[in-house]
């Protein structure tokens, strides 16, 4: 294993990643395991930003019959619950953190201020970005792409249940083929399940690579950053 290839990365976790086997709510054993993985990166000197989804609690599109904006506000609040849970798990194992939210809730967390976020990162604090982008009709994938661009992250680590991008669902089709490398354009053209198209376009336009990998395999994040070929790497060319 060589030296770490990256100085600053953005980790995107889905809300479900925190839920464990039930798929709902927060399993603190799982949150602790994720926190330990993040700690390995911090101990290597990598600056880590994190965006957590909210799907383990609420997704805007689940609000059938609801006003979409209200439903999305609920989703953004769900991401804040998850951000605080991850913060707690990280601080329990001695990792310094800050939560910054795109919707102001000053009593609970800092508002998102880019320069401040960058300063925290420089000081070795993990910055967890809550409330997505602060706007309805967006996803936390898009928020991760946006914040990654703003903080100059070199890579988005996109944690998934499966170990990369496949041409079809590997859980349903045993002959599904895994891609080692793809371009953003291929992801968009082939409609591959990576990020939603808004997030993928943002990454493409701003030349942000995305590494799709399985969170379930311990040590995977560190291995990826040390240059081992795991998962699927999505790049501009
Ligand atoms: N959301 C939003 N704007 C954002 C990010 C999130 O309105 O910028 C809402 C949206 O309703 C979404 C929910 O928050 O469904 C939870 O986020 P997401 O579905 O991306 O979570 P994940 O699927 O990653 O757990």
């Amino acid at each position: 294993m060589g030296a770490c290839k990256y100085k600053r990365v953005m980790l995107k976790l889905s809300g479900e990643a925190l839920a464990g086997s039930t798929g709902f709510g927060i399993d603190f054993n799982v949150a602790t395991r994720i926190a330990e993985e993040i700690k390995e990166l911090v101990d290597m000197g990598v600056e880590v930003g994190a965006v957590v989804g909210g799907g383990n609690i609420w997704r805007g599109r689940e609000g059938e019959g609801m006003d979409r904006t209200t439903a999305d506000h609920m989703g953004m609040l769900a991401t804040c619950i998850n951000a605080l849970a991850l913060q707690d798990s990280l601080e329990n194992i001695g990792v310094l953190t800050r939560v910054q939210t795109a919707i102001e809730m000053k009593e609970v967390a800092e508002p998102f201020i880019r320069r401040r976020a960058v300063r925290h990162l420089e000081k070795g604090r993990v910055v967890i970005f809550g409330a997505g982008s602060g706007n309805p009709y967006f996803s936390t994938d898009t928020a991760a792409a946006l914040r990654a661009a703003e903080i100059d992250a070199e890579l988005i680590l996109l944690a998934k249940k499966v170990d990369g991008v496949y041409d079809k669902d590997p859980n349903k089709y045993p002959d599904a083929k895994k891609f080692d490398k793809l371009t953003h354009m291929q992801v968009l053209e082939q409609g591959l399940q990576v990020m939603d198209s808004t997030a993928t376009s943002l990454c493409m336009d701003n030349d942000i690579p995305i590494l799709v990998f399985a969170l379930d395999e311990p040590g995977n994040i560190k291995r990826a950053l040390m240059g081992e070929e795991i998962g699927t790497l999505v790049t501009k060319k």
Side-chain angles (χ1 to χ4, degrees):
M1 263 196 207
C4 180
K5 289 172 69 181
Y6 302 95
K7 187 170 182 309
R8 183 175 295 163
V9 297
M10 171 63 79
L11 175 65
K12 164 68 194 351
L13 300 164
S14 70
E16 274 174 354
L18 291 177
S21 55
T22 61
F24 189 81
I26 297 160
D27 179 334
F28 274 91
N29 292 321
V30 175
T32 301
R33 198 181 72 64
I34 295 172
E36 280 163 356
E37 298 256 339
I38 296 174
K39 184 175 191 297
E40 285 196 0
L41 304 190
V42 175
D43 290 346
M44 277 158 60
V46 180
E47 297 174 11
V48 185
V51 167
V52 199
N56 55 324
I57 301 171
W58 180 262
R59 279 197 185 95
R61 60 179 179 276
E62 284 164 6
E64 219 172 288
M66 278 187 78
D67 171 62
R68 174 66 193 264
T69 301
T70 306
D72 280 344
H73 283 155
M74 290 166 63
M76 285 187 266
L77 294 177
T79 72
C80 296
I81 295 177
N82 287 334
L84 294 177
L86 184 61
Q87 174 172 51
D88 190 76
S89 297
L90 283 164
E91 299 219 321
N92 268 336
I93 56 169
V95 180
L96 299 177
T97 66
R98 291 291 186 272
V99 173
Q100 291 201 343
T101 58
I103 295 173
E104 270 199 40
M105 45 182 85
K106 288 199 292 282
E107 289 76 4
V108 177
E110 291 180 8
F112 170 66
I113 299 171
R114 187 185 70 89
R115 285 172 191 278
R116 224 166 147 174
V118 168
R119 192 76 194 110
H120 290 318
L121 291 166
E122 287 168 353
K123 288 184 175 170
R125 298 170 185 145
V126 173
V127 183
I128 307 164
F129 300 98
S133 66
N135 300 297
Y137 296 95
F138 286 92
S139 66
T140 49
D141 282 351
T142 306
L146 174 64
R147 296 294 182 241
E150 286 180 284
I151 65 168
D152 288 322
E154 293 148 279
L155 177 74
I156 295 180
L157 290 163
L158 188 63
K160 293 270 187 190
K161 288 221 165 86
V162 286
D163 64 343
V165 185
Y166 286 78
D167 59 348
K168 47 193 166 185
D169 185 348
N171 295 317
K172 281 194 203 143
Y173 303 95
D175 63 334
K177 182 176 149 287
K178 185 179 153 215
F179 299 100
D180 293 330
K181 287 200 171 100
L182 282 166
T183 63
H184 297 105
M185 190 55 93
Q186 285 172 320
V187 170
L188 289 171
E189 281 174 352
Q190 297 174 37
L192 298 169
Q193 298 296 312
V194 181
M195 289 175 149
D196 56 69
S197 57
T198 313
T200 308
S201 302
L202 198 56
C203 289
M204 182 172 72
D205 293 349
N206 294 287
D207 201 1
I208 304 169
I210 309 162
L211 181 73
V212 185
F213 71 102
L215 191 60
D216 288 353
E217 290 167 33
N220 241 359
I221 307 182
K222 184 175 174 181
R223 279 204 290 277
L225 291 195
M226 298 299 282
E228 258 187 63
E229 293 206 354
I230 63 156
T232 302
L233 185 63
V234 183
T235 54
K236 197 163 176 183
K237 276 187 229 149

